Amino acid sequence: MTAATSGLSDRGSYMKVDGKHYRTVWMQDDSVCLIEQNLLPFEFKLFEAASYRDTCTAISTMIVRGAGAIGATAGYAMAQAFIEYGDDAGNIAAARKQIENTRPTAQNLFYAVERVYNAGQQSTQSAIREAQAIADEDADACKRIGELGNDLIEDGQHIETHCNAGWLAFVDYGSALAPIYAAHNSGKQVFVYADETRPRSQGARLTAWELGNENVPHTIIADNAGAHLMSLGKIDMLIVGSDRIAANGDVANKIGTLEKAIAARYYGIPFYVAAPVSTIDFDCASGSAIPIEHRHPDEVLYQSGPNQDGRPEQIRVSSPGSDAINPAFDVTPADLVTAVITDKGIFRPDELITLQS
Ligand code: MRU
């Protein structure tokens, strides 16, 4: 694979797989290239979406997932729609709607689609340039989050994180994991407890895989083990990502985050959220207005993994005949958040409103 096909932009990228630099998403000719995250950590494979429709499918089936990565991918999808339809406003508007309907919670998706849609009113080339700028800005913002967040981490600390808010969830670097990578790379001894994060196990599959690639000491814990470890004094801080932050500082993130925040408050442990400013929805007054995605019950009723031949297989792990509900995100009230680590600085949740431009 050439540098271009591995997503190495002109300005390079940070994360490596088997010694080769990758971004999570990039555009090559008219296609959007992605790391197939449903196959990780068992198989590393790339997925090429030739049209905005294929890119929509990649977002909704979670071939690509995580707020920043969804945002950059949606921006590229909007650019693909301009490539396909040019100045056909009706089809462009329908494509925009289809892209926006893929996943409702991640603010970065709406942020990116709007920017590329507006740029596309000039020309298709402007739309493509804007989508590329969004991806580059996402990588830069995460790098900065890492630098700023590193100051909060002391040598020897044990950090719990939920879901995957690493580089796979963005274009590069990650949000919650960026300060951990920065701390590790600056010589601090850090240890990470990665919540398994049922039902899709992004922590056990993706965060653990990322941390292993970077040689960061870590272990996977069951979702219900966090409070116990906190009660034993084994966790010094939590850092999680966010899919959308309301203007009042309420934070939507992967289901289960709220329970961690409540337990952290009870035990007096700092609870940090790491997110670029592009994740803040200043039009959303509070967390109760954040749309929460509900996904298919089968994600709860079944687990998937490689079979003996290494092919992905689903097995039922729940009582036959029982149904399930599957809310994908929850909202942590601002009051439970110690601070938000953004690319523009570290803020108390009630100070975020000052970032509105
Ligand atoms: O359903 P996912 O895997 O897209 O959810 C990802 C998360 O909840 C992350 O923690 C979140 O996107 C914040 S970091 C990008």
Side-chain angles (χ1 to χ4, degrees):
M1 185 177 297
T2 65
T5 56
S6 67
L8 186 60
S9 81
D10 292 347
R11 299 170 318 115
S13 75
Y14 175 70
M15 289 303 176
K16 286 184 185 174
V17 180
D18 291 336
K20 186 186 287 265
H21 284 282
Y22 283 92
R23 285 185 164 194
T24 304
V25 51
W26 64 97
M27 200 162 181
Q28 190 173 309
D29 303 322
D30 296 351
S31 289
V32 175
C33 303
L34 298 160
I35 294 173
E36 216 309 8
Q37 299 196 32
N38 286 320
L39 298 179
L40 287 174
F42 307 107
E43 189 178 349
F44 184 82
K45 203 171 159 183
L46 302 180
F47 178 88
E48 189 176 329
S51 70
Y52 80 87
R53 282 170 293 274
D54 293 346
T55 308
C56 285
T57 304
I59 297 171
S60 55
T61 59
M62 294 177 65
I63 286 171
V64 61
R65 32 67 52 202
I70 291 171
T73 305
Y76 284 134
M78 195 69 245
Q80 283 179 305
F82 279 101
I83 292 168
E84 185 168 330
Y85 293 129
D87 57 6
D88 177 346
N91 274 319
I92 293 290
R96 176 179 180 168
K97 204 163 220 87
Q98 190 177 339
I99 298 163
E100 288 182 336
N101 283 339
T102 52
R103 293 201 69 192
T105 304
Q107 166 63 7
N108 292 66
L109 183 152
F110 298 91
Y111 167 85
V113 167
E114 178 163 27
R115 274 183 58 177
V116 178
Y117 178 86
N118 289 340
Q121 305 309 312
Q122 303 292 318
S123 67
T124 296
Q125 276 314 311
S126 303
I128 296 169
R129 268 198 303 274
E130 191 72 3
Q132 188 56 48
I134 290 167
D136 289 342
E137 287 167 24
D138 182 87
D140 290 346
C142 287
K143 183 165 185 280
R144 187 72 188 129
I145 286 170
E147 290 162 357
L148 292 168
N150 183 11
D151 288 343
L152 299 171
I153 299 175
E154 289 170 25
D155 192 23
Q157 285 195 315
H158 292 68
I159 304 164
E160 182 177 352
T161 190
H162 193 66
C163 194
N164 172 261
W167 70 272
L168 289 168
F170 286 88
V171 173
D172 204 351
Y173 295 99
S175 59
L177 296 193
I180 292 169
Y181 291 139
H184 174 77
N185 292 335
S186 65
K188 294 177 190 166
Q189 304 289 320
V190 287
F191 186 90
V192 179
Y193 289 102
D195 293 346
E196 174 192 25
T197 320
R198 280 280 285 147
R200 292 186 65 104
S201 303
Q202 290 95 328
R205 294 192 300 112
L206 305 177
T207 297
W209 181 77
E210 275 197 29
L211 293 170
N213 278 347
E214 297 299 312
N215 295 315
V216 177
H218 66 280
T219 195
I220 299 164
I221 57 171
D223 284 326
N224 34 20
H228 172 65
L229 293 172
M230 290 183 215
S231 78
L232 297 177
K234 290 192 177 293
I235 291 169
D236 298 302
M237 68 165 72
L238 290 91
I239 313 180
V240 302
S242 173
D243 286 82
R244 193 186 297 226
I245 302 177
N248 71 342
D250 291 347
V251 171
N253 193 46
K254 180 54 57 191
I255 192 79
T257 303
L258 172 59
E259 290 179 6
K260 306 301 162 207
I262 293 168
R265 169 59 55 88
Y266 185 82
Y267 288 108
I269 299 167
F271 182 88
Y272 292 107
V273 173
V277 172
S278 52
T279 299
I280 306 172
D281 182 357
F282 293 103
D283 294 333
C284 185
S286 75
S288 60
I290 297 177
I292 299 296
E293 176 183 15
H294 281 251
R295 294 188 61 85
H296 199 284
D298 281 358
E299 292 183 351
V300 176
L301 299 171
Y302 292 78
Q303 279 275 46
S304 62
N307 65 17
Q308 281 181 332
D309 302 325
R311 301 309 309 157
E313 192 170 89
Q314 281 206 321
I315 56 161
R316 188 168 178 114
V317 292
S318 317
S319 173
S322 293
D323 206 350
I325 58 165
N326 189 12
F329 300 97
D330 59 28
V331 176
T332 298
D335 177 45
L336 296 179
V337 176
T338 307
V340 182
I341 310 163
T342 78
D343 47 311
K344 301 280 183 246
I346 300 173
F347 297 90
R348 282 198 324 265
D350 63 334
E351 295 173 328
L352 291 175
I353 194 71
T354 61
L355 293 168
Q356 186 169 22
S357 52

